[in-house]
């Protein structure tokens, strides 16, 4: 079969690779129909999360059709049209039992790397390097999904592939970000990042009761899309002092909750950003925490900062003093896909959330490398490139 | 001239101090990572928490069919007598390591074993205890092994493998009890040549071996 493989830092190519086979009783094989690029892939492609091996298949946000099931699979049937959570969860450990699926004890067969790096190993993630288990990804014609009964969910008829594909990762991540905020109704929520996750977080915050949502980015077209699709207020940080603007918009209080949906390759303007970028390039820090710093500084006293942008290692100048003295609540984590996906599918089915507009660039697998380039450089108003491995 | 000499001396001094310092830190780290020594045995204690009641964990051990199915890819067990067992562990390269052991049940949720014939003199015991807060069962294991006299004289634990094997084993057992399977991504498709795949498998081995417990 054909698959989009990582060939070294910044290099992707389509290769002919063997088809996956059932390896364990709980496995299913999915014929991939839509597989989205994700901002977190960029950290892998660009070598910031250094656990990729040449030839690894990328992709973790996908949907498709089940073509084979292992002997222990009961809920999922061959022929089902399914969306699959990108986080692998066993369904049998304490973390899964308590719906903290991204912390699953048994789904990363190669836990030593993250145990050394982070103290413990969280769940494995499909197509997300050898730190996250070494699973083959979804930018391929077929993919093996372990624990299919736990991770795959049948999709309501009538919802297009390019819409439901985001129920795999961007939507649950955005939802969890808003869920972390503990909204009771009437809050002001600021969201850093107007990409797929940021926009889904903004929509989720609205559904969960936020009265005003303010989205921050530097790309006018993304901000315009967010304003038009979701009815949010926007701040362009390239033109406006964000902290000043947020203080003004909230009559001095600051947002009740700040969601960070950017991650370790965050951008900004000014000398601090240049400094961060230089340190990261020299590997003196692994992550650029620009937007996290801003979120902490902006958040109202006693408010919540919710981090769903991906970070991998160490950061400098983390404003711990601000967080401590303002008594902030910091929540963060990889999303618990399996907890949220069924509920999100219901919301898509009734039209409460329609993520389809994120798929600005449908492409074939062969166009994958270019698809990532457009996505990374934010050319052509790209929000998400969605690959269609079955297309020639 | 003299000031530049002084600078050089100062630098050399600083470098020496740094190197000595680093050496000391490394030595200390290394000692900390050495297993304890008791009566000529190396001793490690490892534990893991399984999200099942004690009875279910015991049930797993005594359900021979399930145990065999779970171990199939890693080892075969054969009962030779009342408490005598033969075990052949298969390593990924296809080779096998064989040993014979006596396994004794010491009480409810307690057993011990002694390798009677194998590559490393080894004995150990396992104790099951209910974990607090409805967290299931704590499997606590103690493993003792001996290594050769030369290695011992040099103060190297050597045969560090028994500890790694114990940790990998505990993780595998936990996964078998909680999910009925042990995941493995070694045969997942990739765009690698056979040679690159071999190199990647060696990395995988390192990332799979041992681990936290």
């Amino acid at each position: 079969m054909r698959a989009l493989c990582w060939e070294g830092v910044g290099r992707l190519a389509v290769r002919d690779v063997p088809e996956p086979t059932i390896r364990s009783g709980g496995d299913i094989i999915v014929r991939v129909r839509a597989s989205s690029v994700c901002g977190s892939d960029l950290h892998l492609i660009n070598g910031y999360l250094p656990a990729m091996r040449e030839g690894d298949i990328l992709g973790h946000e996908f949907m498709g059709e089940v073509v084979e099931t292992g002997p222990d699979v009961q809920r999922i049937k061959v022929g089902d049209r399914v969306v699959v959570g990108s986080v692998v969860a066993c369904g049998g450990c304490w973390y899964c039992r308590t719906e903290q699926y991204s912390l699953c004890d048994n789904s990363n067969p190669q836990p030593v790397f993250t145990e050394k790096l982070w103290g413990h190993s969280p769940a494995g993630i499909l197509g997300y390097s050898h730190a996250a288990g070494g699973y083959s990804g979804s930018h391929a014609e077929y993919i093996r999904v372990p624990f299919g009964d736990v991770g795959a969910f049948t999709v309501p008829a009538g919802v297009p592939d390019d819409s439901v594909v985001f129920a795999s990762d961007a939507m649950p991540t955005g939802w969890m970000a808003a869920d972390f905020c503990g909204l009771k109704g009437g809050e002001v929520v600021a969201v850093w990042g107007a990409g797929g996750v940021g926009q889904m977080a903004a929509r989720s915050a609205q559904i969960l009761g936020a009265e005003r949502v303010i989205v921050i980015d530097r790309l006018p077209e993304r901000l315009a899309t967010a304003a038009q699709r979701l009815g949010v207020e926007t701040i362009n940080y390239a033109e406006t002092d964000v902290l000043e603007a947020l203080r003004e918009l909230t009559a001095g209080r600051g947002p009740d909750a700040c969601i960070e949906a950017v991650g370790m390759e965050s951008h900004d303007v000014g000398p601090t950003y240049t400094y961060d970028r230089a340190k990261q390039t020299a590997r003196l820090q692994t992550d650029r925490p620009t937007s996290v710093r801003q979120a902490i500084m902006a958040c109202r006293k006693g408010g919540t900062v919710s981090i769903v942008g991906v970070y991998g290692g160490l950061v400098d100048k983390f404003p711990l003093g601000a967080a401590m003295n303002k008594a902030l609540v910091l929540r963060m984590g990889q999303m618990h896909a399996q907890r949220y996906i069924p509920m999100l599918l219901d919301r898509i089915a009734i039209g409460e959330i329609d993520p389809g507009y994120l798929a600005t660039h449908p492409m074939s697998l062969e166009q994958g490398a270019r698809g990532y380039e457009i996505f990374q450089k934010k050319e052509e108003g790209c929000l998400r490139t969605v690959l269609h491995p079955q297309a020639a | 001239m003299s000031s530049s000499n002084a600078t050089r001396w100062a630098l050399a001094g600083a470098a020496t101090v740094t190197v000595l310092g680093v050496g000391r830190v490394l030595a200390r780290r290394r000692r900390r990572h050495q297993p304890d020594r008791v009566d000529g045995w190396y001793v490690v204690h490892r534990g893991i928490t399984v999200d099942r009641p004690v009875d279910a964990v015991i049930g797993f051990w005594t359900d021979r069919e399930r145990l065999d199915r779970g171990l199939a890819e890693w080892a075969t067990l054969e009962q030779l007598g009342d408490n005598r067992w033969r075990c052949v562990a298969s390593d990924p390269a296809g080779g096998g390591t064989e040993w014979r052991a006596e396994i004794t049940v010491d009480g409810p949720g307690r057993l011990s074993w002694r390798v009677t014939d194998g590559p490393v003199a080894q004995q150990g015991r396992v104790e099951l205890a209910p974990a607090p807060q409805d967290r299931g069962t704590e499997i606590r294991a103690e493993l003792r092994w001996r290594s050769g006299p030369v290695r011992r004289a040099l103060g190297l634990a050597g045969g560090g493998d028994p500890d790694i094997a114990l940790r990998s084993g505990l993780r595998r057992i936990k996964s078998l009890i909680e999910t009925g399977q042990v995941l493995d991504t070694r045969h997942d498709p990739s765009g690698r040549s056979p040679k690159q795949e071999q190199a990647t498998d060696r990395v995988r081995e390192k990332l799979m071996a041992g681990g936290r417990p």
Side-chain angles (χ1 to χ4, degrees):
Chain A
M1 66 170 184
R2 294 166 305 125
L4 187 66
C5 300
W6 187 81
E7 301 273 289
V9 172
R11 286 185 295 132
L12 300 173
V14 172
R15 291 269 173 265
D16 220 13
V17 309
E19 285 183 12
T21 52
I22 299 280
R23 304 275 314 157
S24 299
D27 288 356
I28 61 173
I29 306 285
V30 174
R31 179 191 285 130
V32 182
R33 290 165 58 124
S35 181
S36 176
V37 306
C38 171
S40 63
D41 290 333
L42 299 177
H43 315 322
L44 297 177
I45 296 172
N46 298 331
Y48 290 107
L49 295 173
M52 293 293 283
R53 303 281 303 175
E54 199 178 322
D56 281 343
I57 304 171
L58 274 171
H60 58 263
E61 184 161 9
F62 67 102
M63 55 79 57
E65 185 194 339
V66 178
V67 291
E68 203 181 339
T69 59
D72 300 339
V73 177
Q74 290 172 355
R75 195 173 56 81
I76 295 295
K77 305 273 178 267
V78 169
D80 282 356
R81 185 166 160 257
V82 294
V83 62
V84 177
S86 50
V87 163
V88 185
C90 75
C93 68
W94 182 79
Y95 289 101
C96 289
R97 179 155 66 84
T98 53
E99 295 195 306
Q100 306 177 75
Y101 295 98
S102 73
L103 306 178
C104 173
D105 268 340
N106 298 311
S107 64
N108 185 345
Q110 304 178 173
V112 174
F113 185 90
T114 45
E115 279 174 356
K116 288 218 166 100
L117 196 61
W118 300 330
H120 295 86
S121 171
I125 302 175
L126 296 169
Y128 209 70
S129 91
H130 290 270
Y135 292 101
S136 294
S138 60
H139 295 338
E141 290 177 72
Y142 299 91
I143 181 172
R144 173 179 79 108
V145 177
F147 305 117
D149 271 342
V150 185
F153 299 88
T154 49
V155 169
V159 183
D161 292 356
D162 281 2
S163 181
V164 84
V165 66
F166 297 111
S168 168
D169 193 331
M171 286 180 77
T173 305
W175 187 275
M176 185 153 116
D179 196 15
F180 278 159
C181 297
L183 302 175
K184 296 192 169 67
E187 288 88 349
V188 180
V189 177
V191 180
W192 274 256
V197 171
Q199 301 220 12
M200 288 301 109
R203 180 72 194 114
S204 305
Q206 289 173 331
I207 294 171
L208 287 169
E211 190 170 295
R212 292 168 66 194
V213 176
I214 304 159
V215 174
I216 302 146
D217 205 301
R218 73 178 197 288
L219 302 167
E221 62 278 14
R222 285 194 175 180
L223 291 172
T225 306
Q228 180 212 333
R229 293 277 178 172
L230 311 173
V232 297
E233 297 163 65
T234 62
I235 298 174
N236 185 328
Y237 71 75
E239 294 166 355
T240 314
D241 181 329
V242 174
L243 297 183
E244 200 62 41
L246 285 173
R247 257 197 304 270
E248 202 173 303
L249 283 167
T250 56
R253 299 187 308 279
D256 299 293
C258 293
I259 293 173
E260 198 272 357
V262 179
M264 61 199 276
E265 290 178 70
S266 169
H267 290 88
D268 196 7
V269 286
T272 321
Y273 172 65
T274 314
Y275 170 79
D276 272 325
R277 183 120 207 194
K279 286 197 77 169
Q280 191 181 33
T281 307
R283 298 296 188 264
L284 292 170
Q285 65 177 352
T286 55
D287 306 0
R288 301 197 296 259
T290 319
S291 43
V292 172
R293 285 187 199 128
Q294 229 171 42
I296 289 174
M297 293 305 288
C299 194
R300 79 156 166 85
K301 292 180 280 183
T304 300
V305 173
S306 160
I307 304 171
V308 291
V310 172
Y311 289 86
L314 308 169
V315 301
D316 274 355
K317 301 193 172 44
F318 183 81
L320 188 56
M324 191 274 161
N325 289 288
K326 292 204 290 180
L328 299 185
V329 177
L330 302 188
R331 299 289 311 268
M332 61 198 87
Q334 295 276 5
M335 51 99 194
H336 305 310
Q338 292 80 351
R339 184 203 295 189
Y340 298 115
I341 289 177
M343 172 270 295
L344 290 170
L345 290 174
D346 290 346
R347 290 183 194 271
I348 296 178
I350 60 168
E352 195 175 23
I353 311 180
D354 175 16
Y357 73 91
L358 298 178
T360 52
H361 287 66
M363 287 185 168
S364 71
L365 211 53
E366 277 66 25
Q367 295 168 296
R370 173 71 188 133
Y372 269 104
E373 193 185 347
I374 295 174
F375 173 61
Q376 171 159 15
K377 295 185 177 160
K378 281 101 179 167
E379 293 168 2
E380 304 172 14
C382 179
L383 263 169
R384 284 292 182 95
T385 298
V386 177
L387 303 180
H388 295 142
Q390 306 305 325
Chain B
M1 187 68 195
S2 74
S3 95
S4 133
N5 257 341
T7 313
R8 264 186 230 143
W9 277 113
L11 274 176
T16 313
V17 169
T18 309
V19 168
L20 287 176
V22 169
R24 275 184 61 146
V25 168
L26 286 179
R28 205 175 305 151
R29 245 185 97 105
R30 186 168 176 151
R31 265 203 299 282
R32 220 172 46 210
H33 286 241
Q34 293 282 317
D36 291 338
R37 292 286 300 277
V38 179
D39 304 332
W41 294 88
Y42 289 103
V43 185
V44 291
H45 294 91
R46 302 286 173 190
I48 201 163
T49 307
V50 179
D51 188 37
R52 295 291 181 277
V54 174
D55 287 346
V57 175
I58 293 175
F60 170 81
W61 288 111
T62 45
D63 182 344
R64 196 50 213 287
E65 195 200 335
R66 232 173 105 203
L67 191 61
D68 283 348
R69 193 154 52 96
L71 291 175
E73 293 221 5
W74 313 95
T76 50
L77 275 179
E78 191 191 331
Q79 189 158 14
L80 302 172
D82 262 358
N83 60 353
R84 290 186 307 114
W85 292 76
R86 178 173 165 268
C87 175
V88 181
S90 47
D91 73 52
T97 312
E98 182 181 329
W99 66 87
R100 281 153 204 260
E102 279 175 16
I103 303 177
T104 320
V105 177
D106 301 331
R110 292 160 61 101
L111 59 82
S112 57
W113 71 89
R114 191 170 68 85
V115 170
T116 50
D117 180 16
V120 184
Q122 204 190 87
Q123 59 187 44
R125 53 196 171 88
V126 168
E127 221 178 282
L128 305 180
Q133 287 191 305
D134 189 28
R135 293 289 305 263
T137 303
E138 293 178 0
I139 304 182
R140 299 178 169 283
E142 180 195 283
L143 182 67
R144 295 171 173 241
W145 74 94
R146 288 186 195 277
S147 68
V150 180
R151 281 174 175 284
R152 256 206 317 280
L154 290 172
L156 302 168
D161 290 352
D163 182 28
I164 288 182
L166 173 65
R167 285 185 281 163
S168 305
L170 286 173
R171 219 179 49 232
R172 223 171 269 156
I173 288 162
K174 170 185 164 73
S175 184
L176 281 172
I177 299 175
E178 290 180 344
T179 77
Q181 63 186 62
V182 177
L183 283 187
D184 185 350
T185 50
R186 268 180 298 192
H187 303 278
D188 268 20
S190 79
R192 283 184 277 277
S193 66
K195 208 165 181 185
Q196 288 174 320
E197 190 61 34
Q198 267 180 16
T200 299
D201 276 346
R202 281 196 293 276
V203 173
R204 287 183 186 279
E205 291 299 327
K206 284 208 180 109
L207 296 180
M208 287 165 74
R212 173 137 292 270

